[in-house]
């Protein structure tokens, strides 16, 4: 899918462009906060509703399953009808279904609301990603996608802190954070350019057809996305237990360690354009896999506080460069009219990895030890490093519009958004 702006959008000012970028970056933080907002009150929910640990854990992961299942439908709807309507609808569903936890009193109703919430989150994830890929080209696109990575990482810090602060009122209170989707939806309706009707008709196809059209290397990129999320949740779930083994049990200190992933990822996103120029996309995937390997090895072998702090920081660097790189490579490789569906499948891969991570690694840790769990995860990261290291450089990918850009001619953002590269 290659979208352009309407005459009104083409006449837009730099202020409009900066507003669109700001709203899209803010919307990009909403999927990362989908589960983390509830972490501080999970024990309170479990006690009040009288449920077990596994049932409580589903409150954090049910939306991920929903995103994985409905993501392709969200991508198809964006390719079929354009960006604005599906994205705005997704934000409204996100806000209403997420905020339902303010009033819900039963576990069954809460799970249903989380599944519906995941449908909205799927549209938000896919729509915000495709919007950035569509509205920018070349270096400006790398800069926008790098800033998206930084915004996601910072959201991983701010939203859980806000959820914890509201959790002091009641376990229902953190659900109010999800209501932010409503004003963001209204803002998106105002600032996001419309898509001409003629181009809306281009987005026809289905997931099976898309998988047949995609190059094999893109399927490999989906595999990397799946593994990266799986490994990330190994660290998120089991690092606090590993810290307890070396005497770090205070919630604030544990939070400081786990936030190192988001902080280092945010820094990597800020310098992403420079890193991409230096290493190229293939080189950045190798850097990411090496950082994951190093972080997991440290988590599995270190016995002191200082080296353990390096584990989440190293892993965060890997995520900070992998997420934008995978986003750009998959978006560029999408067949004409199917960019959103290709992007949605990357979300399906990532959120499936998130959902199955504790299910796969938890039994291994229970049967062996935390060290063994981290070392097996490190072996998986090492396998990714071997694969991306052995892969030959691919020829230049054709953008979704079907044309080859002149490599000697710099590309620019879409008309009306020329000043977005200077936006914060």
């Amino acid at each position: 899918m290659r979208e352009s702006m309407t005459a009104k959008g083409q006449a837009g000012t730099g202020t409009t462009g900066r507003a669109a970028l700001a709203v899209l970056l803010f919307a990009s933080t909403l999927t990362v906060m989908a589960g983390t907002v509830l972490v501080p009150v999970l024990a309170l929910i479990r006690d009040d509703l009288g449920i077990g640990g596994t049932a409580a854990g589903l409150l954090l992961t049910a939306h991920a399953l929903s995103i994985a299942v409905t993501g392709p439908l969200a991508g198809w709807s964006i390719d079929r009808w354009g960006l604005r309507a599906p994205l705005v609808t997704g934000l409204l569903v996100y806000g209403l279904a997420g905020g339902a936890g303010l009033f819900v009193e039963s576990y069954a109703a809460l799970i249903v609301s989380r599944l519906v919430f995941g449908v909205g989150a799927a549209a938000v994830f896919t729509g915000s990603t495709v919007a950035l890929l569509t509205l920018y080209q070349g270096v400006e696109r790398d800069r926008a996608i790098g800033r998206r990575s930084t915004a996601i990482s910072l959201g991983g810090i701010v939203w859980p802190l806000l959820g914890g602060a509201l959790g002091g009122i009641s376990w229902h209170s953190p659900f109010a954070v999800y209501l932010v989707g409503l004003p963001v939806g209204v803002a998106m309706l105002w600032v996001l350019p419309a898509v001409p009707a003629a181009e809306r008709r281009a987005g026809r196809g289905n997931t099976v057809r898309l998988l047949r059209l995609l190059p094999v290397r893109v399927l490999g990129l989906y595999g990397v996305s799946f593994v990266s999320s799986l490994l990330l949740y190994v660290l998120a779930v089991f690092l606090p237990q590993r810290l307890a083994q070396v005497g770090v049990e205070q919630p604030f200190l544990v939070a400081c360690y786990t936030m190192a992933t988001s902080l280092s990822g945010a820094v990597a996103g800020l310098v992403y354009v420079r890193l991409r120029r230096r290493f190229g996309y293939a080189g950045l995937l190798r850097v990411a896999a090496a950082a994951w390997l190093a972080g997991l090895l440290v988590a599995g072998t270190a016995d002191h506080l200082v080296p353990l702090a390096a584990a989440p920081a190293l892993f965060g660097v890997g995520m900070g460069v992998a997420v934008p790189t995978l986003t750009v490579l998959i978006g560029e490789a999408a067949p004409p009219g199917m960019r959103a569906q290709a992007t949605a499948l990357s979300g399906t891969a990532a959120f499936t990895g998130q959902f199955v991570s504790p299910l796969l690694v938890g039994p291994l840790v229970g049967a062996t030890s935390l060290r063994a769990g981290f070392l097996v995860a490190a072996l998986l990261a090492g396998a990714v490093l071997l694969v991306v290291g052995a892969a030959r450089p691919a020829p230049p990918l054709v953008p979704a519009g079907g044309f080859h850009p002149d490599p000697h001619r710099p590309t620019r953002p879409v008309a009306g958004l020329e000043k977005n590269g200077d936006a914060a």
Side-chain angles (χ1 to χ4, degrees):
M1 177 185 67
R2 180 167 179 80
E3 297 181 332
S4 62
M5 304 178 68
T6 62
K8 179 180 178 181
Q10 290 172 346
T13 64
T15 300
T16 302
R18 287 192 292 271
L21 178 62
V23 175
L24 286 169
L25 292 180
F26 189 86
S28 297
T29 71
L30 299 186
T31 48
V32 73
M33 76 135 163
T36 55
V37 166
L38 302 182
V39 171
V41 296
L42 197 60
L44 297 177
I45 296 175
R46 184 175 58 193
D47 294 340
D48 190 51
L49 299 182
I51 58 177
T54 300
L58 285 175
L59 294 175
L60 300 183
T61 59
H63 74 279
L65 178 62
S66 188
I67 293 174
V69 172
T70 63
L73 178 61
W76 176 86
S77 67
I78 291 171
D79 282 329
R80 179 66 180 84
W81 290 295
L83 277 167
R84 193 155 61 178
L87 179 52
V88 171
T89 301
L91 285 163
L92 297 180
V93 172
Y94 182 102
L96 293 173
L102 283 167
F103 313 103
V104 168
E105 295 290 347
S106 73
Y107 177 75
L110 200 56
I111 282 292
V112 170
S113 72
R114 298 299 292 171
L115 291 172
V116 176
F117 166 78
V119 176
V124 174
F125 169 82
T126 304
S128 59
T129 304
V130 172
L132 290 171
L133 289 173
T134 301
L135 298 178
Y136 300 92
Q137 295 297 321
V139 174
E140 294 298 327
R141 181 191 55 198
D142 288 334
R143 183 174 290 112
I145 293 296
R147 287 172 175 171
R148 173 181 178 267
S149 181
T150 296
I152 291 173
S153 296
L154 292 177
I157 299 172
V158 174
W159 292 123
L161 291 177
L162 182 56
L166 291 174
I169 302 173
S170 77
W171 68 259
H172 292 279
S173 298
F175 287 91
V177 177
Y178 297 121
L179 294 175
V180 73
L182 301 179
V184 175
V186 174
M188 198 71 73
L189 186 64
W190 183 260
V191 304
L192 194 66
V195 179
E199 298 191 18
R200 290 176 186 163
R201 292 194 292 268
R204 292 178 178 174
N206 55 48
T207 300
V208 175
R209 175 172 175 258
L210 173 62
L211 290 174
R212 291 201 304 264
L213 293 173
L214 286 174
V216 173
R217 69 180 181 276
V218 177
L219 302 181
L221 295 175
Y222 289 149
V224 174
S225 183
F226 171 85
V227 173
S228 68
S229 287
L230 188 154
L231 296 178
L232 174 63
Y233 268 71
V234 169
L235 196 69
V237 172
F238 297 108
L239 182 62
Q241 299 176 43
R242 187 76 179 86
L243 291 170
Q245 291 181 337
V246 296
V248 179
E249 298 182 271
Q250 299 89 339
F252 178 76
L253 291 178
V254 172
C256 289
Y257 273 84
T258 56
M259 283 181 186
T261 303
S262 296
L263 286 173
S264 60
V267 173
L270 288 175
V271 298
Y272 178 75
V273 173
R274 296 179 184 176
L275 293 175
R276 205 276 302 165
R277 288 172 178 166
R278 179 176 180 84
F279 296 102
Y281 292 126
L284 286 179
L285 288 181
R286 298 182 185 108
V287 169
W292 298 336
L293 172 61
L296 291 167
L297 283 176
V298 170
T301 59
D303 287 316
H304 301 284
L305 304 183
V306 174
L308 272 177
L314 286 167
F315 200 94
V317 169
M319 294 302 295
V321 298
V323 169
T325 299
L326 292 169
T327 298
V328 171
L329 290 178
I330 292 170
E332 281 193 339
M338 303 182 79
R339 172 180 279 175
Q341 292 173 75
T343 300
L345 282 179
S346 71
T348 293
F351 285 101
T352 300
Q354 173 181 323
F355 180 75
V356 304
S357 180
L359 300 179
L360 294 178
V361 183
L364 172 65
V365 170
T368 56
S369 66
L370 285 171
R371 287 180 183 272
F374 278 116
L375 293 178
V376 169
L379 285 176
L380 185 55
V384 173
L385 179 58
L386 288 176
V387 171
V388 299
R392 291 179 298 177
L397 295 172
V398 181
F403 67 93
H404 287 278
D406 183 349
H408 303 293
R409 181 178 180 181
T411 53
R412 295 177 59 81
V414 178
L417 296 177
E418 292 88 352
K419 297 185 179 180
N420 270 343
D422 299 325

